[in-house]
Amino acid sequence: MLKPHPPACQSQLVSLGWVTMSYGKSLLAQAKSFGFSDRQIAALVGSTEDEVRALRKKIGLVPSYRLVDTCAAEFEAYTPYYYSTYDTDDDEIRKTDAKKVMILGGGPNRIGQGIEFDYCCVHAAFALKELGFETIMVNSNPETVSTDYDTSDKLFFEPLTLEDVLHIYERENCWGAIAQFGGQTPLNLALGLQKNGVNIIGTSPQNIEIAEDRKLFAAMLDRLKIPQPPNGLATNEEEALAAAKNIGYPVLVRPSFVLGGRAMQIVYSDDELRYYMRHAVEASPERPVLVDKFLEEAIEVDVDAVADIGVGGNTIVIGGFLEHIEFAGCHSGDAAMVLPPHSLDKDVIETMRQYTHTMSRELQVAGLMNVQFAVKGKHVWVLEVNPRASRTVPFVSKAIGRPLAKLAAKVMTGKKLTDLGFTEEIWPKHFSVKESVFSFSKFPGQDILLGPEMRSTGEVMGLGRDWGMAYAKSQMAAQPPLPASGKVFISVRDSDKVKVVPIARQLVELGFTLCATNGTAKVLQAAGLPVQLLFKVQEGRPNILDLIKNGEIAMVINTPSGQSPRADEVKIRTAAVLHRISIMTTLASAKAAALGIKTLRDRGLKVHSLQEFHAQLK
């Protein structure tokens, strides 16, 4: 093991020089052979990663790359897999004179970063091949398509760290690198790579930083006169409380630079905010907590666009407007979405279009950009802007029949959208619904309520001539499907009791029977609807859990009573999931379910291929 940094009396010596003079090159080589990164070595000797890297390069200590025969010697392997080693000087890299572009993958799959970003990386590789580039994929996940043998020209099976990526870039003498397609992991490396001479193609890392840094982003929106929800920054508990007092509860709090909405929460009081600041996050000036006004009952809209402004073009094309079915507060990776929007006013859509174009020009976007809006009535606010690939790009591409990631990759190399023949928005005549897939059945007792922290593990797509049919198909794919008949249990919070009546009435008209506990039952009965009264779980039997276990319930509509759900609500939702019963935890999804059931009843299920829908677009 390396010894710690030199004593204070020798502080005038450069720590790395001290180690090298005292132990020679062999110790550093041994540390690298054992797998120590430059960053770890720097921490051990009291230096910096940059100094360790500079020293290694100065003394000629760099990794060699070995080849994995992907075809097990049965026939020639045309796409080599490489891995780095410090245990040998025998280097097996196949050198070429082609112009090379490195694509940084997403790394390990996790909630919030997965296959959607891998899709973008794969399409980038295909697009660059079409333009004559040699493609070099860097990714460490064997479960992805980007690491398949026929995706790129070369694959480096290496960690996505500054050290490893720089080694590959320099060894292959790459012309450029794409960091914006693999999600947050490679994006966090962009500025460091650029600082070390890497040509990051596409939207500049500096402009991406403007979108990600809350102060810079807020200043940009103020300058462009684009509204955003009231917000603030906090580096400690006192600042968070002051920001919330100034903004007004409820507020959405989250750490900066997070993936998949991790540690994001909606808080309604000082006590909740104090608990969050003390237990959920570690705030600091470098990692402030973002405090945003939470817009209750607002509709969220995701907008994906491709622009060539950053490469000297003048074209911005919106791929699609995705209207969330759940109200604001549900993470975009978990929310069900419909494209094109089914309830938004034309003026609202035009406002979002203008804001998207304005921000694309300001950020000099070259490639993909995603914008998240909140809409309430005629008012539109910008929640977030990501001038990079987003998790909705694959869905939008399939819905409109144009490969957005491919087009964006070509733009990043300098192509104009006019040259690529993509200059106008495509509004499909059909509806596409994205529904998320969850693994709650694998975790009994885990509440299924959705919030600002992403929990889904996949997604499906439903297509239909109208959005009710598309939603019904999406539920068939996500499982369980919407029921055709049976008994529906309704138990909603007080603020939803009157609002649920029209949905309940439509279900009765469709032939369903209703059952509810006392509070909801009284409201439904007052509206003239027949309802079977059930005991609450803690009151006695028969209760809803009995009916679920007996197979008597076809669907559950249950909205949470508050921020801290009651134990019986959690039991009801968990039981529904375990017994594969369709459950709706928002009135928006319940309304969509009723419409989907009616559409299936009126028109019957009809199946068409994706290609048939795309043919209509042409």
Side-chain angles (χ1 to χ4, degrees):
M1 290 291 292
L2 286 170
K3 290 187 177 182
H5 59 77
C9 62
Q10 294 179 332
S11 60
Q12 70 273 17
L13 295 176
V14 177
S15 55
L16 281 170
W18 177 81
V19 171
T20 307
M21 287 187 296
S22 301
Y23 300 101
K25 175 182 175 181
S26 61
L27 181 63
L28 191 56
Q30 187 180 23
K32 297 305 293 183
S33 177
F34 284 173
F36 283 86
S37 68
D38 289 349
R39 193 172 181 179
Q40 289 172 315
I41 294 170
L44 287 169
V45 302
S47 184
T48 67
E49 183 178 1
D50 289 343
E51 289 177 339
V52 175
R53 181 167 52 253
L55 175 65
R56 279 198 302 97
K57 294 174 73 172
K58 182 179 180 180
I59 63 178
L61 183 58
V62 293
S64 298
Y65 290 91
R66 302 288 290 176
L67 175 67
V68 176
D69 188 348
T70 55
C71 299
E74 293 184 20
F75 47 89
E76 184 178 359
Y78 289 98
T79 303
Y81 279 27
Y82 294 112
Y83 66 94
S84 63
T85 177
Y86 281 87
D87 290 331
T88 178
D89 293 328
D90 186 13
D91 196 291
E92 296 182 332
I93 283 185
R94 301 173 181 175
K95 296 181 179 180
T96 65
D97 296 325
K99 197 173 184 179
K100 303 179 181 71
V101 174
M102 172 190 287
I103 302 167
L104 302 184
N109 277 1
R110 68 200 81 171
I111 302 296
Q113 180 160 334
I115 300 306
E116 302 94 341
F117 294 109
D118 198 66
Y119 167 99
C120 294
C121 291
V122 169
H123 276 243
F126 293 162
L128 295 174
K129 280 185 181 182
E130 291 174 8
L131 296 179
F133 289 94
E134 182 176 309
T135 56
I136 297 174
M137 187 72 66
V138 182
N139 203 0
S140 57
N141 189 346
E143 294 296 325
T144 58
V145 181
S146 65
T147 54
D148 282 356
Y149 70 91
D150 57 353
T151 296
S152 57
D153 294 307
K154 292 179 182 175
L155 168 69
F156 285 82
F157 204 80
E158 294 288 284
L160 287 155
T161 67
L162 183 66
E163 174 185 345
D164 293 290
V165 172
L166 281 175
H167 279 315
I168 300 165
Y169 187 87
E170 293 167 356
R171 178 63 62 87
E172 286 289 347
N173 192 26
C174 296
W175 169 74
I178 294 178
Q180 292 108 330
F181 279 11
Q184 196 67 41
T185 300
L187 200 64
N188 289 341
L189 300 176
L191 283 171
L193 292 171
Q194 188 184 58
K195 176 184 172 184
N196 284 277
V198 173
N199 174 29
I200 301 292
I201 62 174
T203 308
S204 73
Q206 287 74 20
N207 285 339
I208 293 175
E209 185 78 2
I210 290 173
E212 294 217 334
D213 185 288
R214 183 45 61 101
K215 287 185 178 179
L216 297 176
F217 180 59
M220 182 193 80
L221 293 183
D222 289 341
R223 187 169 62 253
L224 298 175
K225 294 181 172 53
I226 295 176
Q228 60 182 314
N231 60 78
L233 291 171
T235 60
N236 54 53
E237 184 179 318
E238 291 72 24
E239 290 182 4
L241 290 169
K245 182 179 180 181
N246 182 54
I247 294 168
Y249 290 106
V251 294
L252 181 68
V253 288
R254 59 177 171 141
S256 50
F257 305 101
V258 296
L259 175 70
R262 284 183 291 182
M264 193 184 294
Q265 187 175 323
I266 302 166
V267 299
Y268 290 81
S269 66
D270 285 352
D271 289 341
E272 288 183 18
L273 185 54
R274 287 191 186 96
Y275 185 87
Y276 177 85
M277 295 299 294
R278 293 173 188 176
H279 301 284
V281 295
E282 291 184 10
S284 69
E286 294 76 27
R287 295 282 176 175
V289 169
L290 313 179
V291 184
D292 296 324
K293 177 65 178 176
F294 177 62
L295 303 170
E296 293 186 288
E297 297 194 355
I299 296 172
E300 280 197 42
V301 182
D302 268 72
V303 174
D304 283 312
V306 183
D308 59 14
I309 308 301
V311 292
N314 192 40
T315 307
I316 302 161
V317 182
I318 292 177
F321 297 84
L322 294 97
E323 179 181 348
H324 292 212
I325 293 172
E326 291 85 1
F327 281 135
C330 178
H331 192 280
S332 61
D334 289 349
M337 303 179 186
V338 56
L339 183 157
H342 70 95
S343 70
L344 297 180
D345 188 276
K346 288 184 179 180
D347 292 339
V348 167
I349 292 174
E350 181 56 32
T351 299
M352 291 190 291
R353 180 180 292 113
Q354 290 177 7
Y355 289 167
T356 302
H357 281 236
T358 300
M359 291 185 291
S360 295
R361 296 187 187 281
E362 180 69 17
L363 293 170
Q364 293 288 294
V365 172
L368 291 166
M369 184 174 86
N370 171 265
V371 187
Q372 294 175 22
F373 292 100
V375 178
K376 201 168 184 179
K378 296 279 188 179
H379 298 285
V380 177
W381 295 269
V382 172
L383 300 177
E384 193 174 329
V385 175
N386 297 301
R388 57 168 173 81
S390 74
R391 61 175 54 82
T392 49
V393 165
F395 176 81
V396 174
S397 298
K398 291 177 184 296
I400 67 172
R402 297 301 297 271
L404 297 183
K406 271 189 173 182
L407 292 165
K410 292 179 179 179
V411 165
M412 294 165 82
T413 67
K415 296 289 184 181
K416 307 293 192 299
L417 287 172
T418 51
D419 302 329
L420 301 173
F422 187 61
T423 58
E424 296 181 359
E425 292 178 19
I426 297 174
W427 278 77
K429 297 178 182 178
H430 61 275
F431 285 85
S432 304
V433 170
K434 186 214 87 170
E435 181 59 285
S436 300
V437 176
F438 301 90
S439 300
F440 293 126
S441 60
K442 303 287 195 301
F443 304 96
Q446 177 71 34
D447 196 4
I448 68 169
L449 286 182
L450 303 180
E453 187 166 355
M454 185 172 168
R455 305 173 75 188
S456 63
T457 53
E459 62 185 47
V460 296
M461 184 179 194
L463 297 170
R465 307 293 180 202
D466 55 67
W467 96 270
M469 179 63 76
Y471 184 80
K473 288 182 177 179
S474 74
Q475 301 309 297
M476 292 178 192
Q479 291 291 310
L482 297 175
S485 61
K487 190 175 291 186
V488 178
F489 172 72
I490 302 177
S491 177
V492 295
R493 59 185 171 217
D494 291 343
S495 60
D496 289 340
K497 283 181 168 51
V498 174
K499 299 174 186 175
V500 81
V501 170
I503 300 171
R505 179 171 285 113
Q506 186 174 10
L507 290 171
V508 170
E509 292 171 355
L510 290 169
F512 289 86
T513 57
L514 306 181
C515 58
T517 51
N518 188 51
T520 305
K522 284 182 177 179
V523 175
L524 296 176
Q525 288 169 343
L529 297 175
V531 183
Q532 176 187 349
L533 182 63
L534 296 179
F535 287 111
K536 290 184 177 180
V537 173
Q538 73 273 18
E539 289 178 345
R541 312 179 87 165
N543 58 52
I544 179 58
L545 295 181
D546 297 320
L547 271 64
I548 288 176
K549 291 175 183 177
N550 293 338
E552 298 180 44
I553 299 296
M555 186 165 70
V556 172
I557 300 174
N558 175 234
T559 62
S561 58
Q563 278 300 103
S564 301
R566 294 194 300 265
D568 56 347
E569 291 180 355
V570 177
K571 290 179 181 178
I572 293 168
R573 291 191 283 265
T574 301
V577 169
L578 293 178
H579 288 81
R580 297 180 59 79
I581 295 170
S582 185
I583 177 168
M584 306 296 158
T585 59
T586 67
L587 291 189
S589 57
K591 184 178 179 180
L595 177 62
I597 294 169
K598 184 179 186 303
T599 305
L600 284 174
R601 181 79 57 83
D602 294 344
R603 296 179 47 203
L605 178 64
K606 297 178 181 178
V607 178
H608 302 278
S609 69
L610 189 63
Q611 289 75 13
E612 289 179 83
F613 284 107
H614 288 171
Q616 289 189 341
L617 295 174
K618 300 175 182 179

